């Protein structure tokens, strides 16, 4: 990576490594035409170290077939925050020069991330012609006692009176813990899933 531009930053009091108490996530310029999601850490939020594995969100991992140049098939922007014991991520996945979706990833350690339902939009783009029809940009959500608020940037490049396109801010809401869910496959009345080891609580 030729650079690192942070988009989200937070203090992580539960982190056991004192050198990684502060975490920053954003994007790196991999060449003139490609970005990738990256991570840096700090003991004091003054001096930072970029992770040696950057980009930790591999821009090629989602590409079938692989496209190694041009502003397509890349992870464009990344925001990460701590939600209970997880590190949740809203990342902006770019499939064309003017089409970007916000999707979900998660991690248990803040360094190794898994994509959740790749291709599924967390905040859906608007219908053709609407103000957020071409691109949605993420920000770190706000969580209150009742719901999760996702403020986002929306863009429309087509049918806009402005050369640069139309841009505005929007709000989407989720129920608490509502980033994703499990459901039975069609026509099934029972199912199963596998978790990490858990300790049963007492009533």
């Amino acid at each position: 990576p030729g650079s690192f531009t942070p988009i989200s930053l937070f203090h992580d009091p539960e982190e056991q490594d004192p050198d990684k108490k502060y975490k920053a996530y954003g994007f790196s310029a991999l060449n003139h035409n490609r970005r990738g999601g990256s991570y840096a850490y700090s003991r004091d939020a003054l001096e930072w170290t970029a992770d040696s594995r950057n980009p930790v969100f591999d821009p090629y991992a989602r590409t079938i077939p692989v496209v190694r140049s041009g502003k397509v098939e890349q992870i464009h922007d990344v925001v990460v925050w701590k939600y209970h014991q997880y590190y949740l991520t809203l990342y902006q996945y770019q499939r064309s020069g003017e089409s970007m979706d916000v999707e979900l990833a998660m991690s248990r350690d803040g360094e190794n991330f898994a994509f959740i339902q790749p291709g599924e939009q967390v905040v859906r783009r608007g219908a053709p012609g609407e103000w957020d029809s071409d691109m949605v940009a993420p920000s770190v959500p706000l969580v209150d006692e009742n719901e999760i608020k996702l403020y986002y940037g929306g863009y429309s490049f087509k049918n806009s009176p402005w050369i640069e396109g139309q841009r505005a801010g929007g709000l989407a809401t989720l129920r608490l813990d509502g980033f994703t869910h499990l459901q039975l496959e069609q026509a099934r009345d029972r199912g199963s899933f596998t978790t990490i080891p858990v300790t049963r609580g007492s009533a």
Side-chain angles (χ1 to χ4, degrees):
S3 66
F4 174 64
T5 302
I7 300 177
S8 61
L9 180 154
F10 59 92
H11 178 245
D12 189 359
E14 297 172 346
E15 171 62 60
Q16 298 301 305
D17 186 339
D19 290 330
K20 298 182 178 181
K21 286 292 187 179
Y22 291 88
K23 294 175 170 40
Y25 299 85
F27 67 87
S28 290
L30 307 182
N31 56 42
H32 290 300
N33 293 314
R34 182 171 293 284
R35 288 182 174 189
S38 295
Y39 159 61
Y41 52 85
S42 173
R43 173 185 291 263
D44 55 11
L46 297 175
E47 296 184 12
W48 292 84
T49 301
D51 193 287
S52 61
R53 298 167 300 166
N54 278 336
V56 293
F57 295 88
D58 186 348
Y60 306 138
R62 295 287 308 282
T63 308
I64 303 174
V66 172
V67 178
R68 296 192 180 277
S69 63
K71 295 181 179 180
V72 295
E73 298 290 350
Q74 66 178 343
I75 292 178
H76 193 264
D77 285 338
V78 172
V79 296
V80 179
W81 72 101
K82 197 75 175 285
Y83 188 79
H84 301 306
Q85 72 269 37
Y86 303 107
Y87 300 84
L88 295 185
T89 305
L90 294 177
Y91 63 94
Q92 190 181 43
Y93 192 66
Q94 183 174 7
R95 292 176 175 80
S96 70
E98 295 181 350
S99 176
M100 299 189 199
D101 295 326
V102 172
E103 301 181 17
L104 178 68
M106 64 80 62
S107 171
R108 295 185 185 277
D109 61 8
E111 298 180 6
N112 299 285
F113 288 85
F115 299 114
I116 307 300
Q117 293 293 316
E120 291 293 326
Q121 301 174 45
V122 175
V123 179
R124 296 194 179 279
R125 287 182 285 126
E130 293 186 352
W131 65 275
D132 56 353
S133 60
D134 292 318
M135 186 172 75
V136 174
S139 66
V140 174
L142 297 179
V143 181
D144 61 26
E145 295 179 355
N146 302 310
E147 64 185 0
I148 299 168
K149 295 179 172 66
L150 301 175
Y151 293 91
Y152 68 95
Y155 302 81
S156 176
F157 300 105
K158 306 177 185 69
N159 303 318
S160 172
W162 298 284
I163 296 175
E164 293 280 330
Q166 181 179 0
R167 308 180 183 200
L171 170 64
T173 59
L174 293 171
R175 62 174 174 81
L176 296 176
D177 302 332
F179 289 98
T180 188
H181 66 281
L182 298 174
Q183 66 184 32
L184 291 171
E185 294 180 353
Q186 190 172 5
R188 290 184 177 270
D189 60 6
R190 65 176 59 187
S192 64
F193 61 93
T194 302
T195 74
I196 63 170
V198 297
T199 301
R200 186 177 65 180
S202 58

